[in-house]
Amino acid sequence: MGEVLALVEARLRSALGEPDARAAVTFLGTDRIEVLRFVDGDVVRYATLGMSAHPMTDPTAALADPVKGPRAELVLSVRAGLAETDKVLRPLAVLASTPQVEGVVVAAGASLDVGEPLWPGAPFSSVLVAEPGGLVEDLDLDDPMDPVRFLPLLPMTSNEAAWKRVHGADALQERWLANGTDLRDPLRRSVTLD
């Protein structure tokens, strides 16, 4: 576990630079989840560290494989200085502990909801999990372990989350793109939906 997390942190540092802050959260019955903060100009990025310590297990599987299975960490990027986004640390740790607590596999296209604003005054309580491989490349591990994927999180308003449930993740992302939505704006309004 420690070796995997050391490799994950090294990959985050090589892609995002040195973190300027980190916090750790532990929930009863789960491993510790850290959240690292990276500042890049007017963008601040928060990355989880700890979710990939164990492979995620399909909830229908009879036994959890301690070695094989998908592994991931979460990355959230927002514009700095517009909101108290540092308060997102605990909600991010909650999302990163979802595979351990709820026995789900977090993958691109999924919606995750914390049931409260991601930070004070945020119009978002949920996120869309986007495709990995852009900002931080996948981290290959020794066989037979699966690679660690770094999954970008895109905050969704409650209207967007409801629309996504009906029309799908691709349709919502196309709507955002067509409207030139700044997904890093921590105060943005919901995109226009039919």
Side-chain angles (χ1 to χ4, degrees):
M1 176 177 126
E3 181 182 327
V4 169
L5 294 184
L7 293 170
V8 168
E9 184 168 354
R11 174 58 53 93
L12 286 168
R13 287 172 183 266
S14 69
L16 304 176
E18 286 299 310
D20 74 336
R22 66 192 309 147
V25 180
T26 305
F27 303 103
L28 188 62
T30 67
D31 291 332
R32 172 175 136 146
I33 301 286
E34 288 189 86
V35 180
L36 283 60
R37 182 179 71 186
F38 301 87
V39 177
D40 181 15
D42 70 338
V43 174
V44 61
R45 293 189 170 90
Y46 302 94
T48 63
L49 180 62
M51 182 176 170
S52 62
H54 304 285
M56 294 180 275
T57 303
D58 183 333
T60 62
L63 291 173
D65 190 317
V67 178
K68 290 185 63 77
R71 295 174 189 255
E73 295 291 352
L74 308 175
V75 180
L76 173 70
S77 299
V78 293
R79 298 222 177 280
L82 301 176
E84 292 182 79
T85 56
D86 281 350
K87 304 280 185 174
V88 78
L89 301 179
R90 183 172 174 75
L92 268 182
V94 168
L95 296 177
S97 67
T98 302
Q100 286 183 61
V101 174
E102 297 181 20
V104 298
V105 175
V106 176
S111 299
L112 301 174
D113 195 317
V114 293
E116 61 184 37
L118 292 175
W119 51 82
F124 322 104
S125 65
S126 63
V127 294
L128 174 64
V129 181
E131 290 290 335
L135 188 62
V136 183
E137 288 183 30
D138 294 350
L139 172 65
D140 290 325
L141 300 174
D142 293 337
D143 281 334
M145 293 187 284
D146 289 20
V148 176
R149 305 206 184 293
F150 297 88
L151 301 170
L153 300 181
L154 308 174
M156 293 187 293
T157 66
S158 57
N159 286 345
E160 290 168 340
W163 198 84
K164 182 255 177 195
R165 281 191 291 276
V166 174
H167 299 280
D170 289 341
L172 178 58
Q173 289 182 320
E174 287 171 17
R175 183 59 57 104
W176 282 335
L177 190 59
N179 285 275
T181 306
D182 181 1
L183 296 173
R184 293 180 178 169
D185 181 352
L187 302 173
R188 74 171 180 83
R189 294 175 182 252
S190 183
V191 71
T192 304
L193 303 168
D194 295 333

